Amino acid sequence: MLISYQNRPPHIYSDNSFYFLTARTLKGIYFFNTDSKKKILLNVIRKALERYNCDLYAWVILSNHYHLLLKIKLGKELSSLIKNIHANSSRILNIYQACPSRKIWWNYWDKCIETPKSYYTHLNYIHHNPVKHGYTKNMKDYKFSSYRHYLKTQGKEWLEDSFCAYPVITKN
């Protein structure tokens, strides 16, 4: 089902589909610049995914944005899922920092994943993101990413093969 808003490109809400999501903080401010703040966001994300019956396949949280690769049962609930994450993470962070009513999130982008190539390229993009943004030189050293889960469950060879087969193209 294609629902057209003033977004470009328009959101595509498809049931039982994979989505790549990106959300950025207002003006790129580093609101999530400590481990404890990143944990707040990760816990909110996990609770929202459970509430909306989503499966999480990959994730990364940086100081001013996050990326998720998930599968949602009801595509029309995607915007409600994001609103839940942003409202609850803002509320908790604002309580934590004694800054009531402060706006944290600026916007989000979603992409419906339609091919295995797109899935694995986005998976690799998520895992490479902390390196891209200079948080670490090695993906396995970054705590707020699903990379270490894949390293443990799939192994180093599988990850290296995935990066070779589906390289991440970054623009500098």
Side-chain angles (χ1 to χ4, degrees):
M1 161 176 42
L2 181 64
I3 299 176
S4 184
Y5 295 103
Q6 292 181 357
N7 285 18
R8 289 187 189 156
H11 295 290
I12 297 172
Y13 296 121
S14 179
D15 294 345
N16 296 309
S17 294
F18 290 98
Y19 281 87
F20 171 74
L21 302 175
T22 298
R24 182 176 171 264
T25 60
L26 182 68
K27 297 181 182 177
I29 296 171
Y30 284 18
F31 286 113
F32 299 93
N33 58 350
T34 66
D35 285 2
S36 59
K37 293 175 190 174
K38 288 179 180 80
K39 285 178 188 176
I40 288 169
L41 180 55
L42 181 57
N43 288 334
V44 167
I45 289 169
R46 286 182 170 150
K47 286 178 184 175
L49 293 172
E50 186 176 311
R51 178 178 179 190
Y52 286 91
N53 201 19
C54 297
D55 297 318
L56 184 60
Y57 289 85
W59 60 275
V60 66
I61 297 173
L62 299 166
S63 296
N64 67 346
H65 70 284
Y66 66 84
H67 300 291
L68 305 176
L69 182 60
L70 57 85
K71 186 173 185 181
I72 192 164
K73 303 294 185 239
L74 298 174
K76 67 182 181 180
E77 292 184 341
L78 189 62
S79 62
S80 295
L81 167 72
I82 298 298
K83 286 176 189 173
N84 180 291
I85 292 169
H86 291 183
N88 287 320
S89 63
S90 295
R91 181 181 50 78
I92 294 168
L93 187 63
N94 286 342
I95 290 169
Y96 179 78
Q97 293 187 295
C99 296
S101 303
R102 175 181 57 177
K103 185 173 176 165
I104 303 282
W105 297 104
W106 177 64
N107 206 347
Y108 80 93
W109 298 265
D110 61 77
K111 179 178 181 182
C112 186
I113 302 296
E114 299 177 310
T115 67
K117 179 181 179 185
S118 182
Y119 175 91
Y120 285 105
T121 301
H122 283 88
L123 178 102
N124 292 338
Y125 178 84
I126 288 170
H127 290 154
H128 186 261
N129 216 247
V131 174
K132 174 186 172 188
H133 290 287
Y135 285 76
T136 185
K137 291 183 187 221
N138 192 322
M139 292 174 281
K140 72 179 171 81
D141 295 330
Y142 192 72
K143 291 192 283 188
F144 292 94
S145 164
S146 54
Y147 181 83
R148 295 195 306 189
H149 168 77
Y150 279 86
L151 186 60
K152 182 179 177 182
T153 60
Q154 301 297 321
K156 184 178 179 181
E157 185 178 333
W158 184 89
L159 284 164
E160 288 173 354
D161 289 347
S162 176
F163 272 95
C164 286
Y166 306 99
V168 176
I169 300 168
T170 58
K171 296 177 183 176
N172 291 341

